[in-house]
Amino acid sequence: MNRHGHMGCQPGRPHKKNTFCRKIGIIMLLSGAVTVMALFLPLKCLVVLLCFVLIICGILLIKK
């Protein structure tokens, strides 16, 4: 027996997913998509798209 009273390995516990890292990943994907679209869109459309992306990123980071 080990010091915790279990024979062998401890029982498996479900791992928590790190939601902060997932949100940062989504933000990075969105900013990459905006950067690629900057090559194809006119300036007005790019500004509107960038505003929407910033609003979405802000909501994702504020919400838990």
Side-chain angles (χ1 to χ4, degrees), residues 15-56:
H15 296 286
K16 286 184 177 180
K17 291 183 179 179
N18 194 349
T19 56
F20 181 73
C21 290
R22 183 174 181 202
K23 290 178 185 177
I24 294 295
I26 292 172
I27 290 171
M28 290 177 68
L29 285 174
L30 286 173
S31 63
V34 168
T35 304
V36 170
M37 288 182 188
L39 300 172
F40 303 113
L41 294 176
L43 187 59
K44 281 188 177 183
C45 293
L46 181 66
V47 170
V48 170
L49 182 67
L50 186 61
C51 290
F52 282 124
V53 167
L54 288 174
I55 291 170
I56 291 170

Side-chain angles (χ1 to χ4, degrees), residues 3-18:
R3 67 181 197 172
H4 298 291
H6 297 286
M7 294 294 286
C9 297
Q10 292 183 356
R13 295 181 192 163
H15 296 286
K16 286 184 177 180
K17 291 183 179 179
N18 194 349

